[in-house]
Amino acid sequence: HKILPFLRLASFEFDDDSKQVCTVRYFFRKALAGCNASGFQEGDRIGTESYITPEPLIVFFHGLGCSKYDFVGAVDRLPKASILGIDWPCTGILESRHFEEDEAIVDYLVNSRGDFNFPAMVEFAYKAVKTILQDLGYDSRSKFTLVGHSMGAKLATLYAGTYPEDVIALVNVEGHLHPSDPKMAIKLLNDLQRDMDGKDESVSEAEATKKTFQRLQDQFLDGVPNSDAIAKWMQVMKQMTSAKGFYAQARAIVSEGEAVPDRLWELFVKLACTEQAESAVTVDQARSEAFVPTPKVMHIYGERNREALSSSLTLYRSRCDKRLTIREIAESGHFPFFDNPDEFWAVLDEWLSQQGLWGCNAPKSNAS
């Protein structure tokens, strides 16, 4: 009930001859406190001459079969920041017509980009975020903290590497980037393919996909009957997720792992370990549009996944030293914001404060 007043829609076209219109669902909540004393008044443009928003802006990317509602806790727990959560195509759906519209977007990306893969999804996210921020009155060059969970962390990492000028900080929440990490998406596609191979000829592929999708939800609930996090995940999958879109996202995860298995973890390490000495940066360089500062980077994981992620954690600690902050959330698994929300949001709030990302010292914009 808290998030519905902030639910919005934005539409954009891809830059080609197709004129394909994409509608993205998102929620936005403007910062509730912390910046009024800096001279900003209601109605001022949010972007500034330094391209940093007067109040911190955090953008959330959700995981496979999830939705923007995973981050509803930020509404109450991060009052000093403006928060934006977007849905990937075929997720977070509230109206039946959106199922067909979103599946058309997936088909368009397959046909025009060769596949519904991570680069295509990042392109979608870039155009969606830019459109939303423009609609909200932000300067097009405003920076933000990007928080991604699971698949969303993979996409957030690729986004930060593709559009580094946008991202001032990157937070990887349970994003399994290394080839040694768990590979749930492969099993999902193998189960789907087995069902496709064994289906009756009278059953359409779409019907068989929906049936497999429903059985998957039942298996998750039966496997962890007392998990509130899994119950919430399955509720979103059942009511707000297209089966076709779900498996398209799973294929995108598998395709990334097969085509370029080392890209994401190497990119994450590069983002976390590339240090630009502030003393070596001149004022003129800092003001230059070509200057792109290195983002702050943090990795958050659940205590119950410590062993499963041991290879990645060892690698990150050995390669990144103190440049990468790694935090474990106690008594939690793959969904730390559901399993232990008090600690999760406190850790994120504390880290943002330590990195100086809560500051409201940006100069007032002269934009009209």
Side-chain angles (χ1 to χ4, degrees):
H1 68 283
K2 293 179 180 178
I3 203 64
L4 289 179
F6 309 107
L7 177 62
R8 307 187 186 191
L9 299 175
S11 297
F12 61 91
E13 291 183 356
F14 281 96
D15 299 327
D16 54 31
D17 295 333
S18 71
K19 301 298 181 182
Q20 173 67 45
V21 176
C22 296
T23 298
V24 58
R25 291 167 296 280
Y26 70 96
F27 74 80
F28 176 78
R29 199 237 42 224
K30 187 172 173 61
L32 302 180
C35 290
N36 290 340
S38 297
F40 291 89
Q41 304 297 326
E42 188 68 26
D44 285 341
R45 283 185 63 84
I46 300 176
T48 72
E49 293 172 347
S50 65
Y51 314 144
I52 299 175
T53 59
E55 70 281 342
L57 171 65
I58 305 177
V59 177
F60 293 96
F61 287 177
H62 68 74
L64 174 65
C66 302
S67 83
K68 58 189 174 299
Y69 297 115
D70 285 2
F71 306 109
V72 68
V75 171
D76 291 331
R77 297 173 187 267
L78 298 179
K80 292 180 287 187
S82 292
I83 54 175
L84 168 64
I86 71 169
D87 278 324
W88 300 109
C90 300
T91 57
I93 296 173
L94 294 178
E95 298 183 30
S96 58
R97 63 183 176 86
H98 290 152
F99 282 91
E100 292 185 3
E101 292 175 0
D102 279 29
E103 289 178 358
I105 296 174
V106 172
D107 291 339
Y108 163 76
L109 290 172
V110 169
N111 295 329
S112 64
R113 304 303 190 264
D115 196 3
F116 185 73
N117 52 25
F118 273 18
M121 293 179 73
V122 166
E123 181 186 2
F124 170 89
Y126 175 78
K127 293 182 181 297
V129 170
K130 289 296 185 181
T131 298
I132 292 168
L133 294 185
Q134 181 179 5
D135 289 350
L136 293 172
Y138 280 80
D139 187 286
S140 61
R141 294 163 293 187
S142 296
K143 292 179 176 293
F144 49 82
T145 294
L146 184 54
V147 179
H149 168 245
S150 193
M151 177 190 75
K154 297 172 184 278
L155 291 162
T157 300
L158 188 55
Y159 187 109
T162 307
Y163 306 106
E165 66 279 4
D166 286 358
V167 181
I168 196 169
L170 172 67
V171 181
N172 171 350
V173 183
E174 277 284 325
H176 301 170
L177 308 182
H178 195 270
S180 65
D181 290 342
K183 302 177 178 64
M184 182 184 70
I186 294 178
K187 182 180 184 304
L188 295 176
L189 294 185
N190 287 340
D191 290 347
L192 176 63
Q193 186 59 53
R194 184 192 64 240
D195 289 353
M196 291 296 109
D197 294 340
K199 75 177 182 66
D200 189 278
E201 292 184 359
S202 62
V203 178
S204 69
E205 183 175 318
E207 291 174 329
T209 300
K210 291 179 181 179
K211 185 176 180 179
T212 302
F213 189 45
Q214 179 59 59
R215 189 175 69 252
L216 170 68
Q217 297 165 38
D218 295 338
Q219 290 173 346
F220 271 118
L221 289 173
D222 292 342
V224 195
N226 298 320
S227 171
D228 181 60
I230 295 298
K232 290 178 179 177
W233 185 26
M234 292 305 102
Q235 184 179 27
V236 170
M237 285 176 59
K238 182 176 183 179
Q239 299 179 2
M240 306 167 65
T241 305
S242 156
K244 177 178 178 177
F246 176 84
Y247 287 108
Q249 293 176 17
R251 289 190 186 93
I253 296 173
V254 173
S255 173
E256 177 72 17
E258 293 177 345
V260 277
D262 295 318
R263 171 164 61 179
L264 293 179
W265 77 263
E266 288 181 345
L267 178 56
F268 186 71
V269 167
K270 180 180 178 181
L271 291 168
C273 302
T274 302
E275 183 172 11
Q276 293 176 329
E278 293 183 4
S279 59
V281 178
T282 67
V283 173
D284 289 340
Q285 287 174 324
R287 290 176 176 173
S288 169
E289 291 190 10
F291 174 72
V292 180
T294 304
K296 312 289 186 180
V297 183
M298 179 166 68
H299 178 50
I300 298 177
Y301 69 95
E303 178 186 15
R304 293 196 288 270
N305 282 344
R306 183 194 305 158
E307 183 176 352
L309 297 175
S310 59
S311 296
S312 290
L313 296 174
T314 300
L315 176 66
Y316 295 157
R317 290 186 174 112
S318 65
R319 295 279 293 273
C320 300
D321 192 25
K322 298 180 181 179
R323 282 282 300 168
L324 171 64
T325 301
I326 300 177
R327 294 295 299 268
E328 176 181 287
I329 306 301
E331 300 180 353
S332 66
H334 192 54
F335 297 87
F337 39 81
F338 288 153
D339 291 325
N340 191 347
D342 290 341
E343 182 175 345
F344 173 81
W345 292 111
V347 163
L348 184 56
D349 190 350
E350 177 187 34
W351 182 76
L352 292 169
S353 298
Q354 291 173 346
Q355 304 306 313
L357 299 174
W358 276 159
C360 298
N361 298 316
K364 188 172 180 179
S365 172
N366 292 325
S368 58

